[in-house]
Amino acid sequence: MGNTLVVHAKRLPQSQKARRAAQYVRMSTDYQQYSIENQAVVIATYAELHKLTIVHTYRDEGESGLRIENRGGLTELVEDVQSGRADFAHLLVFDVSRWGRFQDVDESAHYEFICRRAGVEVAYCAEQFDNDGSLLASIMKNIKRVMAAEFSRELSAKVFAGSVRLTHRGFKMGGPTAYAFQRRLVDDQCRPKGILTIGQRKSLLTDHVKLIPGAPDQVEIVNWILHEYLRHKSQATIARELNQRGILNSQGRPWLGKAVGDLLRNEAYIGVLTYNRKSRKLGAKVTRNPRELWIRKENAIEPIVHRDAFRRAQKIMGEGRVSIPEEEMLLRLRKVLMKKGKLSKTIINSSPGLPSMSSYVLHFGALRNIYRLIGYNGNQEWFDKYASHQRWAALQLSNAARLRDAFERLGRSATLNASTECLRIDNVVNVVFRVARCRNYENAALALDAAIPREVAEGMGCRGSAGREERSDLRLCLDALGVAHLQSSHVLVLKGSL
């Protein structure tokens, strides 16, 4: 009985698979002749002529053939074939292009090879050749794959040309709707048919979408944002004030400084419809196109803000974002120093025509080095305090690492996050290290102003504060790790001097 053949329900013998077949059908949004129903009819006819029984259907409906991502049917098919779960010996496909219109023509051949290697024969039911491995079949399949890829390229060029033509007629070509605008659906004669809400799309090819000003209160908010920016408020400050007033953006979310900047740059508010600022052709990554490739249509939208005010805002943003050589960056910084008599992060960021502080740090390193390059000593007292702070920060991390090692030697779990200076113990307690003013103890060892287990302190080479009975809110009860009422966050106070 040990050699008895056991037939599992999901692993049929090859003899039982011989007349069983699966079908793979895919329809994107191109032509009706590739509908799921039409493909199924042709495949069913082929199966009947060859006495095959269709036992499983893999389908991808409304999915592009440029990539395998989001194509659950094809992904499931490949997984079943590779894992041996496939209970069929034939795969029926409408034609070669149903694998996909991949720009790399070897990709569709790859999926056919996976099936063939697992013993599953692939048949193309609507093609005029048999997929029998002959020279003719190999040549025809490669030609079909190249034609499928070329079809996508030609279709992409036609769609782009049509979108450019419609943009020049003043119609919106998709994408999110800017704040304070709404989409009006119009027919081929530009007669209004209604307002499209979020998530709604036009259903007729002859219909189009135009942008019109939205709610009056939102229009007022746009003008307020522009006015406040011209008063030299930062984008982050404007976003913060909008959130404090409970005003949400066009997606119903709180404002961010970047969203305010995007609004201030959007030419739709002065009536200009823009297309092709970004592109993602043939499934490639999204790319930002240079301004000369943008498609712009003047007076396509009713303006919301005054053009002069909008241009002044663009000038301010242009002056705050410059691209200049490093020598010129230092020269401009020297001129600001001569004019102001001193330098600081605030002065650098607020000076027109000067790169931001972060740009200077990116190019030249630390602030002290930047000042050294232009012959400026700066606030020496501040630099001394900063250097002292850095030394204390290094000491904190050292103490945190010692405390972590002490707990690990006791068999406890301890994880140190250097960026937040936080030690997490047993995934329950957070020990946070912070710099604070303290007294210097002459000839005194580093002391812990906390009640900690003696074995942990000895493992760190430190001593606790002897004779201390009082309890403080900043005290760290490390010896109470097993107590249920222990709070989740504590502060470790260290006394000592560098």
Side-chain angles (χ1 to χ4, degrees):
M1 297 295 292
N3 294 327
T4 302
L5 177 63
V6 179
V7 179
H8 296 279
K10 295 185 178 180
R11 300 293 179 89
L12 295 178
Q14 191 64 31
S15 59
Q16 296 186 26
K17 293 183 181 179
R19 311 314 301 172
R20 295 166 65 89
Q23 61 177 343
Y24 173 68
V25 290
R26 178 185 67 83
M27 182 188 74
S28 55
T29 54
D30 39 23
Y31 291 105
Q32 184 63 27
Q33 65 260 33
Y34 289 121
S35 70
I36 298 295
E37 292 75 14
N38 288 349
Q39 293 177 54
V41 169
V42 174
I43 292 174
T45 303
Y46 181 94
E48 183 177 357
L49 290 175
H50 292 80
K51 294 181 172 56
L52 298 175
T53 302
I54 298 177
V55 297
H56 196 91
T57 298
Y58 300 93
R59 61 188 294 152
D60 287 315
E61 193 166 0
E63 297 293 344
S64 170
L66 290 173
R67 302 180 308 278
I68 193 174
E69 288 82 1
N70 300 324
R71 291 173 61 180
L74 180 57
T75 302
E76 182 186 3
L77 168 62
V78 173
E79 290 177 351
D80 287 349
V81 169
Q82 289 182 322
S83 64
R85 293 194 302 266
D87 58 350
F88 47 85
H90 302 271
L91 178 65
L92 308 182
V93 186
F94 181 77
D95 62 12
V96 176
S97 70
R98 293 305 88 194
W99 288 115
R101 303 186 186 277
F102 304 110
Q103 297 308 293
D104 185 347
V105 296
D106 291 333
E107 187 169 353
S108 60
H110 169 69
Y111 299 126
E112 179 182 336
F113 170 74
I114 290 176
C115 295
R116 191 168 61 248
R117 183 177 57 183
V120 178
E121 297 295 329
V122 178
Y124 300 109
C125 305
E127 300 290 5
Q128 301 301 311
F129 60 89
D130 293 327
N131 190 22
D132 54 5
S134 64
L135 178 62
L136 175 62
S138 299
I139 293 175
M140 291 301 298
K141 284 191 295 183
N142 277 283
I143 292 175
K144 292 285 186 177
R145 289 165 186 151
V146 173
M147 290 173 60
E150 183 62 23
F151 173 83
S152 292
R153 287 191 286 268
E154 292 178 353
L155 182 62
S156 175
K158 292 177 182 178
V159 170
F160 178 75
S163 299
V164 171
R165 178 176 57 84
L166 292 175
T167 300
H168 285 307
R169 293 180 58 188
F171 298 127
K172 178 175 170 55
M173 288 293 101
T177 304
Y179 184 79
F181 282 111
Q182 56 185 352
R183 298 176 299 156
R184 172 182 286 170
L185 184 66
V186 298
D187 61 13
D188 56 346
Q189 302 298 322
C190 288
R191 292 182 294 235
K193 298 181 65 175
I195 301 298
L196 295 175
T197 59
I198 296 177
Q200 290 185 331
R201 301 171 61 183
K202 69 185 187 72
S203 56
L204 300 178
L205 291 176
T206 55
D207 288 345
H208 304 290
V209 176
K210 292 185 71 72
L211 283 181
I212 60 174
D217 58 334
Q218 292 188 351
V219 174
E220 183 180 349
I221 289 297
V222 172
N223 282 275
W224 177 85
I225 291 174
L226 181 61
H227 178 264
E228 294 301 303
Y229 186 75
L230 292 177
R231 292 178 57 196
H232 301 290
K233 280 189 178 181
S234 69
Q235 298 171 13
T237 301
I238 295 174
R240 184 167 55 252
E241 293 184 7
L242 289 171
N243 294 331
Q244 290 173 351
R245 294 167 57 183
I247 299 173
L248 302 177
N249 62 17
S250 56
Q251 283 77 40
R253 301 173 182 173
W255 287 86
L256 298 175
K258 181 180 182 303
V260 174
D262 292 340
L263 184 149
L264 292 170
R265 296 184 185 90
N266 195 339
E267 291 184 311
Y269 295 108
I270 57 173
V272 180
L273 185 64
T274 308
Y275 173 68
N276 199 41
R277 296 182 63 177
K278 298 179 182 178
S279 61
R280 186 182 182 182
K281 295 183 179 180
L282 300 174
K285 293 182 179 180
V286 177
T287 57
R288 294 181 178 272
N289 296 322
R291 190 176 183 87
E292 56 267 20
L293 295 182
W294 294 3
I295 310 300
R296 301 172 69 256
K297 172 62 178 176
E298 298 275 355
N299 302 318
I301 312 168
E302 181 182 343
I304 287 180
V305 301
H306 293 291
R307 186 177 293 265
D308 292 341
F310 183 84
R311 297 303 183 199
R312 279 188 286 137
Q314 306 311 300
K315 183 179 179 180
I316 293 175
M317 286 189 287
E319 291 175 346
R321 186 180 181 89
V322 293
S323 178
I324 56 179
E326 291 185 345
E327 294 79 6
E328 180 68 18
M329 292 175 65
L330 295 175
L331 177 61
R332 294 190 183 189
L333 192 60
R334 290 190 188 96
K335 291 181 178 179
V336 172
L337 174 61
M338 294 174 63
K339 180 179 179 181
K340 301 288 186 179
K342 62 179 181 178
L343 288 176
S344 67
K345 179 180 178 180
T346 303
I347 293 176
I348 293 175
N349 286 333
S350 61
S351 298
L354 204 62
S356 65
M357 186 67 213
S358 59
S359 296
Y360 276 103
V361 172
L362 181 64
H363 283 269
F364 304 106
L367 183 62
R368 174 172 284 184
N369 186 57
I370 298 172
Y371 288 174
R372 181 184 61 81
L373 291 174
I374 62 173
Y376 177 56
N377 293 327
N379 189 337
Q380 192 61 39
E381 182 181 356
W382 183 90
F383 282 122
D384 292 341
K385 289 182 178 180
Y386 181 74
S388 177
H389 175 85
Q390 292 295 93
R391 291 195 297 270
W392 273 107
L395 177 62
Q396 287 184 159
L397 289 179
S398 175
N399 289 329
R402 292 161 62 194
L403 186 59
R404 177 199 60 198
D405 296 341
F407 273 102
E408 289 179 347
R409 284 193 295 271
L410 293 174
R412 314 299 286 269
S413 171
T415 305
L416 175 62
N417 187 332
S419 61
T420 59
E421 300 174 354
C422 178
L423 180 65
R424 187 162 181 80
I425 303 170
D426 288 345
N427 206 27
V428 174
V429 178
N430 292 329
V431 182
V432 182
F433 294 77
R434 290 291 180 263
V435 173
R437 292 183 179 275
C438 64
R439 291 185 298 169
N440 292 327
Y441 291 84
E442 295 183 1
N443 300 322
L446 184 64
L448 300 179
D449 187 15
I452 67 172
R454 178 176 298 176
E455 60 270 23
V456 174
E458 292 175 352
M460 293 178 62
C462 305
R463 63 177 178 83
S465 299
R468 186 178 296 275
E469 299 294 340
E470 65 272 15
R471 299 293 183 177
S472 170
D473 291 338
L474 299 180
R475 178 183 58 81
L476 174 64
C477 294
L478 295 180
D479 55 345
L481 283 172
V483 181
H485 67 268
L486 183 64
Q487 297 181 3
S488 61
S489 183
H490 302 272
V491 177
L492 181 62
V493 181
L494 299 178
K495 285 187 176 180
S497 61
L498 290 175

